[in-house]
C-alpha cells in the first residue's frame, strides 16, 4: 500500500463509500503479510521509506520468487527482484506473466522505467571499467525503476583519466553521483575532488588477487582524501541507487517546506 492508496481508502471511508469493516480488512496486515511458510512481506515499507520492498534473488527458489512477486504486485506498480540469472528468470516468467528482464543488471521487474521521471533531480552513474558494468547497471536500473533520471558514463576509470575529463561537463550537471569501481578503487576520490554533488562510492569485487574480492577498493574508498564520499558495501549497486534516491527526495522535501 502506497500513500496514495491509503489516502484514497481513508477518503472513501469518510465519504461513506467504504465501510469501516472493509477498511479494517484492507489494513489488517499493517505490519506484514505472510507468503506461504517462507516469507513475510512488508506491505507498508513504501509508506515509511518511500520505496517498496525489493526481492533478493540468490538463495530463493524460482517458485518462491514468483510467489513473492505476485503478492507484492497486488499493492505496488513496480516490483523488482535483484541478482536474477537468465535461467531463474525463465522459470519465474512461466509463473508470473508480463515481467521484464534486464540481463546486465540481473534484475527482473513487473514494469519498465517511466519515460518521464517521477521525481526531480539527476543521478549520474560512473563506471570505471567494463567488468564493473553489472553493478553499475544494477544501480542505474533500480534508480530508473524508482522514478529518477539517470545518466550513464561507462569506462571512465583512472587508468585513462582523459576519458573521465572528456565527459566532465555533462557529469557536473548531476545532482548526485554514483561511482562504481574495482581494482584499487581510486575513481570516487578523483570524482569527489571535482564534483559539486554528493558522491556515493560502490566498490566491486573485480580485480586481481590482492584486491581481495573488493576489500581493497572498499578500503580505498573509505580512506578517500576527498570530502563528501559515502561508501556502500561491495557490489551493492542497489543500495547506492536507493541512497541516491533518498538524497534527492530529501532535497525536494526541503524545497517544499514553508519558510518559517
Amino acid at each position: 500500500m502506497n500513500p496514495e492508496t491509503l489516502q484514497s481508502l481513508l477518503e472513501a471511508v469518510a465519504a461513506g463509500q467504504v465501510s469501516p469493516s472493509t477498511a479494517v480488512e484492507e489494513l489488517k496486515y499493517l505490519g506484514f503479510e505472510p507468503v506461504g511458510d517462507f516469507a513475510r512481506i512488508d506491505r507498508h515499507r513504501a509508506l515509511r521509506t518511500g520505496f517498496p520492498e525489493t526481492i533478493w534473488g540468490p538463495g530463493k527458489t524460482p517458485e518462491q520468487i514468483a510467489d513473492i512477486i505476485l503478492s507484492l504486485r497486488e499493492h505496488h506498480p513496480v516490483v523488482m527482484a535483484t541478482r536474477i540469472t537468465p535461467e531463474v528468470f525463465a522459470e519465474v516468467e512461466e509463473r508470473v506473466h508480463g515481467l521484464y528482464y534486464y540481463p546486465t543488471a540481473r534484475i527482473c521487474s513487473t514494469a519498465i522505467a517511466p519515460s518521464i521521471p517521477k521525481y526531480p533531480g539527476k543521478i549520474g552513474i560512473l563506471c570505471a571499467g567494463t567488468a564493473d558494468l553489472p553493478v553499475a547497471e544494477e544501480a542505474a536500473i533500480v534508480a530508473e525503476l524508482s522514478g529518477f533520471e539517470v545518466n550513464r558514463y561507462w569506462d571512465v576509470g583512472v587508468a585513462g583519466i582523459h576519458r573521465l575529463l572528456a565527459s566532465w561537463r555533462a557529469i557536473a550537471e548531476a545532482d548526485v553521483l554514483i561511482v562504481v569501481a574495482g581494482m584499487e578503487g581510486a575513481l570516487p576520490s578523483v570524482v569527489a575532488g571535482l564534483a559539486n554533488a554528493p558522491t556515493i562510492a560502490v566498490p566491486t569485487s573485480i580485480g586481481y588477487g590482492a584486491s581481495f574480492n573488493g576489500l581493497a577498493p572498499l578500503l580505498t574508498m573509505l580512506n578517500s582524501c576527498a570530502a563528501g564520499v559515502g561508501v556502500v558495501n561491495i557490489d551493492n549497486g542497489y543500495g547506492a541507487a536507493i541512497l541516491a534516491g533518498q538524497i534527492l527526495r530529501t532535497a525536494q522535501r526541503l524545497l517544499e517546506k514553508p519558510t518559517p
Side-chain angles (χ1 to χ4, degrees):
M1 181 172 291
N2 54 46
E4 293 80 8
T5 303
L6 181 58
Q7 179 76 22
S8 297
L9 178 61
L10 294 177
E11 289 176 352
V13 173
Q17 299 168 345
V18 174
S19 69
S21 60
T22 300
V24 168
E25 285 299 312
E26 289 288 325
L27 297 171
K28 66 190 293 186
Y29 294 114
L30 185 62
F32 61 87
E33 177 182 0
V35 176
D37 59 356
F38 55 84
R40 297 183 178 187
I41 301 303
D42 186 352
R43 284 181 53 179
H44 289 201
R45 185 174 300 182
L47 286 174
R48 301 192 310 272
T49 69
F51 299 95
E53 189 169 10
T54 298
I55 303 162
W56 170 257
K60 296 182 178 71
T61 67
E63 292 77 14
Q64 289 172 335
I65 294 170
D67 287 347
I68 295 172
I69 289 175
L70 290 170
S71 178
L72 284 170
R73 191 169 64 176
E74 293 180 8
H75 308 286
H76 302 289
V78 180
V79 178
M80 288 181 275
T82 64
R83 303 300 167 93
I84 302 297
T85 65
E87 295 77 17
V88 169
F89 174 72
E91 294 189 49
V92 173
E93 192 179 25
E94 291 180 359
R95 298 169 61 91
V96 183
H97 300 298
L99 290 179
Y100 300 87
Y101 186 58
Y102 302 88
T104 302
R106 298 166 293 176
I107 288 174
C108 73
S109 170
T110 57
I112 59 174
S115 56
I116 300 176
K118 182 178 179 180
Y119 303 106
K122 297 180 181 179
I123 300 175
I125 304 183
L126 290 75
C127 179
T130 304
D132 302 310
L133 270 176
V135 176
E137 267 297 313
E138 179 180 77
I141 296 299
V142 169
E144 289 177 334
L145 289 172
S146 298
F148 297 96
E149 179 181 348
V150 171
N151 295 310
R152 294 164 169 81
Y153 307 95
W154 293 167
D155 199 20
V156 292
V158 297
I161 201 167
H162 55 292
R163 299 172 300 184
L164 171 68
L165 299 178
S167 302
W168 189 254
R169 187 183 298 273
I171 293 170
E173 296 178 356
D175 300 297
V176 181
L177 292 166
I178 296 174
V179 185
V180 182
M183 297 292 186
E184 85 290 0
L187 184 59
S189 291
V190 174
V191 171
L194 296 170
N196 182 26
T199 300
I200 302 169
V202 187
T204 73
S205 52
I206 299 301
Y208 295 104
S211 70
F212 297 108
N213 292 319
L215 180 59
L218 171 64
L219 294 176
T220 296
M221 294 171 185
L222 289 172
N223 286 286
S224 173
C225 61
V229 178
V231 186
V232 299
N233 207 347
I234 299 167
D235 292 338
N236 191 8
Y238 170 83
I242 296 299
L243 177 55
Q246 288 174 326
I247 290 171
L248 291 178
R249 294 181 66 174
T250 299
Q252 185 62 28
R253 286 201 302 270
L254 291 174
L255 289 174
E256 294 171 353
K257 278 188 176 181
T259 304

